[in-house]
């Protein structure tokens, strides 16, 4: 049964830079990443319909709890759950946090299936508490950080990263029927779902997106003090994560609503700015 996970490549809610990660923690982080990546693919990739995606995720969830209870991983996902089981045992990872991630993936499927929206920011924050915040808490667990203040700051950073991902991906999510701009926010600025679907930039839409950019930036700033509490590599890791998120927000803000059409990303040319800002945090 495999106990070594594949290397981390990319996952938007898994902000880790492999060269900054201490060698003893690379395998447990890779195992958590592989678990989340596979679940995300089940929820989002391919041509399967919502009922099949949900059925597969339920089976995936059952396998998580089975291996957490000591059962031998089944062949279907052995390369995922073999390493994960080993690292659950070695590092006593909280299974509830892994389960929360699956809950969020299933909610995404259901919301998209039903063409549903989020009523307000409180409802969207509840989703973020399961889709993003568990990642930060799992990483802090591996680093032995458990105090309430650090966990709250980690939650703020991870929520900010999730919100940033939403506002970065408007041009992709809205055509796919994924709505993260809440009903309350849309109503506040007089923006209809039809107007968003038309992807025509108006002053009202500009104000709507700008308000949500400010919200994400405020969340990031509330959590950014965590960088001063974490020593060594993890502190520098987090500095770069925070600055990368803020850089994306600046780009989305500069688009003045055109994020409805174009997705902004970090580029190599952003590296000097990120390093400089990380140094002076």
């Amino acid at each position: 049964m495999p106990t070594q996970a594949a290397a981390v490549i990319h996952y938007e809610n898994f902000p880790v830079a492999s060269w900054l990660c201490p060698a003893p923690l690379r395998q447990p982080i890779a195992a958590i990443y592989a678990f989340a990546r596979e679940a995300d693919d089940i929820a989002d990739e391919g041509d399967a319909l919502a009922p099949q995606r949900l059925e597969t995720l339920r089976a995936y969830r059952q396998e998580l709890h089975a291996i957490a209870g000591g059962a031998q991983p089944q062949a279907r996902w052995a390369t995922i759950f073999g390493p994960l089981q080993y690292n659950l045992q070695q590092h006593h990872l909280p299974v509830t946090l892994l389960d929360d991630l699956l809950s969020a993936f299933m909610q995404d499927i259901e919301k998209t299936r039903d063409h549903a929206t989020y009523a307000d920011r409180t409802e969207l924050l509840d989703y973020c508490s399961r889709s993003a915040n568990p990642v930060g808490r799992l990483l802090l667990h591996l680093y032995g950080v458990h105090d309430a203040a650090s966990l709250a700051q980690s939650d703020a950073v991870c929520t900010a990263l999730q919100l940033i991902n939403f506002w970065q991906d408007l041009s992709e999510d809205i055509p796919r029927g994924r709505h993260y701009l809440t009903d309350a926010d849309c109503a506040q600025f007089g923006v209809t779902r039809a107007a968003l679907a038309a992807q025509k930039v108006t002053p009202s839409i500009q104000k709507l997106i700008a308000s949500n950019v400010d919200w994400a930036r405020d969340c990031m700033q509330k959590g950014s003090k965590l960088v001063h509490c974490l020593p060594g590599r993890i502190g520098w890791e987090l500095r770069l994560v925070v600055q990368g998120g803020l850089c994306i927000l600046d780009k989305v803000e500069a688009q003045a609503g055109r994020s409805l059409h174009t997705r902004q990303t970090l580029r190599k040319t952003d590296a000097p700015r990120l390093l400089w800002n990380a140094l002076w945090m």
Side-chain angles (χ1 to χ4, degrees):
M1 188 61 60
T3 60
Q4 299 290 303
V8 173
I9 301 173
H10 170 72
Y11 175 52
E12 57 268 18
N13 289 342
F14 209 89
V16 291
S18 59
W19 65 273
L20 280 175
C21 177
L25 296 185
R26 288 175 189 162
Q27 271 303 307
I29 289 174
I32 297 167
Y33 163 82
F35 167 82
R37 177 74 269 174
E38 179 68 16
D40 192 24
D41 286 347
I42 293 170
D44 205 38
E45 297 297 323
D47 300 321
L49 298 177
Q52 182 180 347
R53 295 183 189 278
L54 289 170
E55 181 182 357
T56 304
L57 274 178
R58 282 192 285 267
Y60 197 74
R61 194 179 209 172
Q62 289 172 355
E63 182 71 349
L64 167 65
H65 289 282
I67 63 104
Q72 186 79 355
Q74 298 182 29
R76 183 178 187 182
W77 289 300
T79 58
I80 303 294
F81 286 108
L84 184 64
Q85 183 181 54
Y86 175 80
N87 284 289
L88 282 172
Q89 296 167 349
Q90 292 294 309
H91 298 279
H92 307 289
L93 299 173
V95 178
T96 54
L97 295 176
L98 298 169
D99 188 79
D100 282 345
L101 291 172
L102 299 185
S103 169
F105 288 129
M106 295 175 80
Q107 180 172 313
D108 250 341
I109 296 169
E110 292 165 346
K111 285 277 191 180
T112 304
R113 176 198 63 195
D114 299 338
H115 307 288
T117 58
Y118 286 87
D120 51 33
R121 292 184 178 185
T122 298
E123 186 182 358
L124 190 59
L125 286 175
D126 173 72
Y127 171 76
C128 294
S129 73
R130 290 173 287 117
S131 70
N133 297 4
V135 173
R137 287 182 172 239
L138 285 163
L139 293 176
L140 288 188
H141 177 87
L142 289 172
Y143 281 96
V145 178
H146 304 288
D147 65 281
S150 294
L151 291 174
Q153 289 169 340
S154 172
D155 287 347
V157 169
C158 290
T159 289
L161 291 171
Q162 180 70 89
L163 294 175
I164 291 165
N165 184 244
F166 291 154
W167 317 146
Q168 178 188 24
D169 286 352
L170 290 174
S171 63
E172 299 178 356
D173 284 339
I174 291 175
R176 298 174 67 184
R178 291 187 170 180
H179 302 284
Y180 299 107
L181 292 164
T182 70
D183 295 341
D185 280 348
C186 288
Q188 178 183 350
F189 293 99
V191 175
T192 65
R193 296 291 170 188
L196 289 170
Q199 296 180 292
K200 182 179 179 180
V201 178
T202 65
S204 295
I205 286 177
Q206 289 175 324
K207 292 176 183 177
L208 169 64
I209 295 175
S211 174
N212 280 276
V213 166
D214 288 342
W215 177 30
R217 186 178 285 113
D218 183 58
C219 286
M220 186 67 86
Q221 290 170 345
K222 286 179 179 177
S224 63
K225 293 179 182 178
L226 183 60
V227 305
H228 302 296
C229 304
L230 301 178
R233 290 182 175 184
I234 185 175
W236 282 102
E237 172 90 21
L238 186 58
R239 286 171 186 252
L240 292 172
V241 167
V242 168
Q243 291 304 324
L246 291 174
C247 183
I248 288 291
L249 276 181
D250 289 344
K251 292 185 178 196
V252 172
E253 184 175 48
Q255 287 180 288
R258 294 189 303 278
S259 52
L260 288 178
H261 306 145
T262 306
R263 184 181 189 273
Q264 290 289 342
T265 60
L266 293 176
R267 303 180 183 277
K268 291 181 180 180
T269 53
D270 295 316
R273 169 191 171 181
L274 299 186
L275 291 169
W276 178 259
N277 288 343
L279 178 65
W280 289 100
M281 286 184 71

